Amino acid sequence: MDEGGSRIRRRVSLPKRNRPSLGCIFVGPTAAELEPGDEGKEEEELVAENRRRKTAGVLRVEVQPLLLSDSPECLILGGGGTNPDLLRRMPIDRGVGDQDNDSEEDMFGDYDSFTENSFIAQVDDLEQKYMQLPEHKKHATDFATENLYSESIKNKLSITTIGNLTELQTDKHTENQSGYEGVTVEPGANLLYDVPSSQAIYFENLQNSSNDLGNCSMKERDWKSSSHNTVNEELSHNCTEQRQQNDEHSSKVRISSDMNRRKSIKDHLKSAMTGNAKAQTPIFSRSKQLKDTLLSEEINVAKKTIESSSNDLGPFYSLPSKVRDLYAQFKGIEKLYEWQHTCLTLNSVQERKNLIYSLPTSGGKTLVAEILMLQELLCCRKDVLMILPYVAIVQEKLHMIGEGSRGATLEMTLAKILYTSKTTQIIGMSATLNNVEDLQKFLQAEYYTSQFRPVELKEYLKINDTIYEIDSKAENGMTFSRLLNFKYSDTLKKMDPDHLVALVTEVIPNYSCLVFCPSKKNCENVAEMICKFLSKEYLKHKEKEKCEVIKNLKNNGNGNLCPVLKRTIPFGVAYHHSGLTSDERKLLEEAYSTGVLCLFTCTSTLAAGVNLPARRVILRAPYVAKEFLKRNQYKQMIGRAGRAGIDTIGESILILQEKDKQQVLELITRPLENCYSHLVQEFTKGIQTLFLSLIGLKIATNLDDIYHFMNGTFFGVQQKILLKEKSLWEITVESLRYLTEKGLLQKDTICKSEEEVQHNFHITKLGRASFKGTIDLAYCDILYRDLKKGLEGLVLESLLHLIYLTTPYDLISQCNPDWMIYFRQFSQLSPAEQNVAAILGVSESFLGKKASGQAIRKKVDKDVVNRLYLSFVLYTLLKETNIWTVSEKFNMPRGYIQNLLTGAASFSSCVLHFCEELEEFWVYRALLVELTKKLTYCVKAELIPLMEVTGVLEGRAKQLYSAGYKSLMHLANANPEVLVRTIDHLSRRQAKQIVASAKMLLHEKAEALQEEVEELLRLPSDFPGAVASSTDKA
């Protein structure tokens, strides 16, 4: 440090320590938007993204719904082909002040060490030189340091609060009073943003303490300086003059120094900078400050606008312009369709009334839902619940309320919300609706519909080699279009009688194509058949990218690759059905979306579950499995044709045989199927489960209230259509009687008068266990019996017995054991494991006779036999942890095995909650906690802690474990740069996310333990004498 003193330039910004209300969204920049030095913000995004307590949730209706104690203010039903990237980029948290800054970027910026060149060293050097001045040696105590700060640094800084930001500025008045020279102000410089906020807090605290010491000059400051001013401070060692000017003030400080001894500046700053790791406050650049200030202003304006009756919707439908910019940046949406604008400006939307809107597939329904959700979250600061009955997050139709147990569960959820909350707004969307009046009455909603489609869709039928265009104006519903002009060899005619090769080669590889097939096996056969007759030119199209897809699939399968995909992907072709694992489907879908793959042969589930549009959609036959196609299914499939922004037209071709012609003509002309309630039809998953939850949650506990509730359901609206023999009252009474007889409810009769009798119900222990465990009531008594029997001789030498008890009952009917495999697997069991089978009543001789085809005289429970077979699959999977080897061993599709594993993990958790409510099953509690973990992760025990971290799957966990990262603490303290160098195929961004996620998880676990400690140390409210002592004090 030279004699003239070192010039110290720092930029500090201090966010205000205020906490916004629940539901606030902070929009984070993309990687491309990050300025140099802003890399650490990615971790802030990740932490906010992975917070466990989110305001906006997604509820999949396969899961048994529970009534929310605090109902959301807005409920969105459905979706229509959205990519959730936007919502992922909008972290929802309780506020900036609550977030942990898990950035592994050095918190001290360029001044990151305590060496001679560091910022702290320079301050320390300056302090030592000051203390060496002759007139100050006699007062070489800590108060001199404070005086130096208060007069030479603090007098040049004033703290001004503007909006949500606190910035340090130069006060010209104070600057002129000081004796320093060479202090310059550069208007174009940035704020001192590199210094962690904890240091800015330190400056603020010292300033406040100096005020208490009587620094009168501080009172004369002008606090109205602009927030955009910046400071360049040059600390000179010309302290003698300054010391003389403030001699009177120094004497006052000396008097109080013994009472208020303080650390030196070096110690203060070192402590503050080190402590910043705990504070973990986000750091913002000046441009970020300005953007956030503008965003905050726009949100406030939008909030006021949406609360008022004005039709002026602000920058972007009551939302900040930042939202519009994000849509333009990530989705390329510059302007909304006319129908979207109309829908968003409907009076019913402005007045927060319930709404149903219906449009054809790919019409842009989801964008409207997203904007409505963001209005609630950003402007109204209210909760939003999005219900997606399909497993995929991108597509759902409100008409699914009329489909089986999924529809019954959706209906129950909506009915409870309508009954308990009068302020929750319900928005329903669908591509296919017919009897919408019933739905309107049920949801008490208004209706908006449009036939808009961004890309024109032309529908064709193919009979033999002739193609007809569907024309509603024609006499028989179709007109001649063209003949297929494709030279077929004799071999090709035999292999491809439907001319699929001719139809797909008209569009691929430059455009995409979907071929819907009746069955999973047919998907694979068609994919291979098409590739056999494609020219070698197709191999050259995006050859490098296709090799990368194959490589990724191999890595995902631990070196395994489906032989069919190995042959078809080089041609840009793949099959897509539930036999694939979820990771395989994801990789293939990404490859298709980016144009690497140009043809999918798929089942009908893709039409309803995944948003993968195509230039041409071909329906291999008018059947789904063995059932003839329904109008709704047909509309879903052909709705995939035509990609907005890419294609100018979409085409669908339905291939049919002459024998199916009449049925198909009826199919294309008939109206959509009506939507009916399945609440009573799905007896145990419907009305019985509903009544149990109503009484368990105390929503309705007497017969009259329950009947009143039923009248408000979708079933209640349609009771005249659905009920022919019995009335709704009789159905209600019978269902309650059934639950009482099963021991799930108990009935209490109260005589209010001689003529009036009230029937109240309360839930029993078994009923509460079934309710809390969300157990299908068809199986609750079977589960109880199996668990009770298990207590008599639970085999704990292996996991097999426990796995059997947690194998889902609803999958038993789908199981068709291969008896040779069954017998072979049984023979390989240990004596203890064979004892489990003997306890269940399955013997080796029985399996041997089944495998050899002999007749069985002794009666054996088929459900037990099938369930044990599935248990063998799960048990083998937990031992080997490789879906591929288990798939080959049991000759089962790997996708089916993965679904079995997921179902078992879910059911194991349900059984755990069931046992927690029944004291007699206490022994299962600890056992099922560990088993649920094993089933959830399906890896070796040592990898489970690593897989709890977001972004770490089995393959990555193995890499990390091999590299020495064996625990959550190891990952939380890892250096991302070292991880990138150590772990193959790990990007810097992924490494930062893993470390940040591990830190967050570790922090949450520490918080949970701290809460336990506080709970243990807290005086119990029912402590003897506590009431008396409080009374005495009063």
Side-chain angles (χ1 to χ4, degrees), residues 886-920:
V886 177
S887 172
E888 292 174 5
K889 189 171 288 187
F890 287 89
N891 193 26
M892 285 180 167
R894 53 196 177 279
Y896 175 82
I897 292 175
Q898 187 180 56
N899 291 337
L900 172 64
L901 179 65
T902 304
S906 176
F907 188 61
S908 176
S909 178
C910 292
V911 175
L912 171 60
H913 291 300
F914 181 87
C915 293
E916 285 175 341
E917 297 297 322
L918 298 170
E919 293 179 7
E920 59 197 294

Side-chain angles (χ1 to χ4, degrees), residues 21-25 54-57 74 87 90 92 299 319 370-385:
S21 62
L22 181 68
C24 177
I25 289 183
K54 291 187 177 179
T55 308
C74 183
L87 294 182
M90 296 184 176
I92 304 167
I299 288 174
L319 293 170
E370 288 176 358
I371 291 173
L372 291 171
M373 284 192 291
L374 291 174
Q375 285 178 355
E376 290 292 315
L377 293 166
L378 280 173
C379 304
C380 300
R381 306 295 174 95
K382 301 293 185 181
D383 297 346
V384 177
L385 182 66

Side-chain angles (χ1 to χ4, degrees), residues 165-176:
L165 305 168
T166 304
E167 303 176 350
L168 303 181
Q169 297 180 323
T170 299
D171 189 308
K172 293 184 179 179
H173 174 68
T174 309
E175 180 183 326
N176 293 336

Side-chain angles (χ1 to χ4, degrees), residues 386-401:
M386 188 167 187
I387 298 181
L388 299 166
Y390 259 101
V391 175
I393 199 170
V394 294
Q395 179 69 31
E396 172 43 23
K397 314 278 189 295
L398 186 57
H399 76 270
M400 292 297 176
I401 199 172

